Amino acid sequence: MGSTIFSKIIAGEIPCRKAYEDDRVLAFHDIKPQAPLHVLIIPKIEIPTMDDVAPNQESLVGHMVWVAAEIARREGVAKDGYRLVFNCRDNGGQEVYHIHLHLLGGRQMAWPPG
Ligand code: 5GP
């Protein structure tokens, strides 16, 4: 255990600005926000990429999505809308190999993404 910076955040060894926490997930504000609201929702267990999600972990990933929507409501961006993103491996732009859901809100998003 403890192979990425997110494991250290879960362990409390590196501080974060917490947005939500329960027994399965932790959510915290991104250190380099790409929007007025930029929160990362991560599972407390280590799963390196979305390609590694096992069939019996689908409810965990669904819970991450629900938590993102709940944070969006609490932070007041739900009515205007927001974007949820999972980056997977090199072509997806993944930097930290512990799956995380980006919640981006508070501004108009562009499409297609870069
Ligand atoms: P990825 O590119 O892997 O999808 O996204 C990783 C995200 O983690 C980036 O948006 C980056 O800014 C964020 N990040 C990396 N290290 C830290 C950290 O130590 N603290 C916080 N709060 N965010 C981090």
Side-chain angles (χ1 to χ4, degrees):
M1 290 297 280
S3 54
T4 74
I5 196 148
F6 288 176
S7 294
K8 294 186 175 66
I9 288 175
I10 291 166
E13 293 163 16
I14 291 177
C16 70
R17 196 177 138 218
K18 206 176 285 186
Y20 177 95
E21 182 171 19
D22 63 25
D23 56 328
R24 287 184 283 172
V25 305
L26 174 66
F28 51 92
H29 294 264
D30 198 291
I31 205 164
K32 260 177 63 183
Q34 302 300 316
L37 178 70
H38 187 173
V39 172
L40 303 173
I41 298 93
I42 71 173
K44 289 189 171 177
I45 60 167
E46 281 189 55
I47 304 171
T49 78
M50 289 306 290
D51 189 44
D52 300 303
V53 175
N56 67 356
Q57 292 170 329
E58 65 178 16
S59 67
L60 174 61
V61 174
H63 184 59
M64 291 168 68
V65 173
W66 179 84
V67 167
E70 179 64 14
I71 294 168
R73 284 187 287 271
R74 291 183 188 182
E75 297 286 337
V77 304
K79 288 278 185 287
D80 285 339
Y82 52 87
R83 182 166 292 173
L84 301 180
V85 177
F86 282 108
N87 294 325
C88 183
R89 296 195 174 129
D90 284 355
N91 275 4
Q94 185 174 4
E95 288 174 2
V96 179
Y97 278 66
H98 180 132
I99 62 165
H100 47 281
L101 178 56
H102 293 260
L103 163 61
L104 298 146
R107 68 168 170 83
Q108 180 67 56
M109 300 296 155
W111 194 264

